[in-house]
Amino acid sequence: MTSVDDLTKQLQELPNWGKAAVAGGLALLLYIPYRWLTTAPRKSPIKEDWKSGVVYLYQFPRTKLLPSPSAPCLKVETWLRMAEIQYENIPCLLSPRSKEGTLPFVEFEGVEYPDSSFIIRDLTRLLGVKLEDHLNDEQKAVSRAFEELAHNSLMASHRLFRLENITQFTELLPPNLFGFFHPIIVMLFKRSYVSKTASMLTWTGIGKHSREEQIGIGSDDIRAISKYLGTKHYFCGFKPTRHGSKNGN
């Protein structure tokens, strides 16, 4: 049995007050450097030896099964691949974060661009991406509506799924990602994620509904997307856009 397994077993055998004491002490111990890492002034650009024409994508590390555990990060990387843009993936664990304190963000030609939607908007303009030039105004409006549906009500419903399956979600993380402290940090992350997600669901309004109603909202969203797709290969016909396809693009 490894030292990490030994530590996990010892933590599990502690009484509830012992677990609470360990969690509280470690939370304070880890929060101070985490807060410093995520808020301390930093240089910009981070990538000093950047190459012209290359997009540097800062996002969460890969998991065992998913390219990214974050939908916004996955959205940006998928779009970069669809647009055939040369990019370099830079995994970020505790730091760095964008100037807005979020992931993903990119650097291009020495300039930082945060927020997944703004990244796509700005890189489309800077690089002359033509993925949506064939769309008329009505198609662009419909695409925009479905994109916001996915960003808001569908994402909120999905958060409930993650909240109820937080243990399975953390199991996607690479084993021993945090070394000796991995089981402790995962335990703290689970508690923090559950608390923040529950508050977020309540704040957005969907969390005030019953579980069945929250699931129903997400199901209705997926059903609407499916019906609109119909027999089309992509949202707006036979050419890919950033708004999706039957294959998840």
Side-chain angles (χ1 to χ4, degrees):
M1 184 177 291
T2 66
S3 58
V4 174
D5 292 331
D6 289 335
L7 180 59
T8 302
K9 183 178 179 181
Q10 291 173 11
L11 287 173
Q12 292 174 342
E13 292 175 349
L14 287 174
N16 289 335
W17 65 266
K19 292 178 181 177
V22 171
L26 285 172
L28 181 61
L29 180 66
L30 295 171
Y31 176 77
I32 295 174
Y34 169 77
R35 183 67 177 174
W36 181 83
L37 283 170
T38 55
T39 60
R42 61 167 174 79
K43 62 183 181 181
S44 183
I46 298 172
K47 186 74 172 178
E48 294 182 333
D49 58 341
W50 54 268
K51 298 178 182 179
S52 182
V54 178
V55 172
Y56 296 93
L57 171 61
Y58 295 81
Q59 63 170 326
F60 292 106
R62 306 294 194 196
T63 71
K64 291 188 291 185
L65 299 176
L66 301 173
S68 175
S70 163
C73 292
L74 189 59
K75 167 186 171 182
V76 171
E77 185 168 12
T78 300
W79 181 83
L80 289 170
R81 292 168 64 89
M82 289 175 60
E84 299 182 342
I85 295 172
Q86 184 180 0
Y87 73 96
E88 180 179 319
N89 181 53
I90 301 179
C92 307
L93 191 54
L94 297 179
S95 69
R97 295 294 186 265
S98 73
K99 293 179 179 179
E100 296 181 350
T102 59
L103 288 178
F105 69 95
V106 303
E107 289 181 341
F108 180 66
E109 304 296 339
V111 179
E112 178 180 316
Y113 299 91
D115 190 284
S116 61
S117 294
F118 293 159
I119 289 169
I120 293 174
R121 179 199 66 185
D122 294 338
L123 291 183
T124 294
R125 173 178 53 84
L126 292 169
L127 295 171
V129 177
K130 307 295 185 181
L131 284 178
E132 299 179 14
D133 280 7
H134 64 287
L135 302 182
N136 59 37
D137 289 342
E138 181 181 353
Q139 289 173 318
K140 290 179 180 178
V142 170
S143 296
R144 168 72 175 177
F146 272 110
E147 183 176 20
E148 290 306 305
L149 175 146
H151 281 175
N152 292 286
S153 64
L154 181 56
M155 177 61 75
S157 183
H158 174 67
R159 286 194 180 102
L160 174 65
F161 173 80
R162 282 204 170 180
L163 189 64
E164 294 181 342
N165 296 275
I166 184 62
T167 298
Q168 291 86 338
F169 176 60
T170 55
E171 288 174 353
L172 294 175
L173 299 173
N176 303 328
L177 179 63
F178 301 99
F180 183 77
F181 294 102
H182 184 81
I184 301 172
I185 293 178
V186 167
M187 179 181 67
L188 294 174
F189 167 77
K190 288 166 66 174
R191 292 189 177 188
S192 174
Y193 185 87
V194 168
S195 176
K196 289 182 178 179
T197 302
S199 297
M200 187 180 300
L201 290 174
T202 301
W203 178 76
T204 57
I206 191 173
K208 298 177 182 179
H209 303 309
S210 68
R211 179 180 183 276
E212 290 71 23
E213 289 171 332
Q214 292 181 58
I215 294 174
I217 291 172
S219 298
D220 288 343
D221 290 341
I222 294 174
R223 192 173 295 110
I225 292 172
S226 177
K227 287 182 178 179
Y228 185 78
L229 271 172
T231 59
K232 298 190 293 290
H233 287 76
Y234 298 92
F235 255 79
C236 296
F238 293 91
K239 292 184 179 181
T241 68
R242 68 190 175 104
H243 301 290
S245 73
K246 287 186 174 180
N247 296 322
N249 294 327

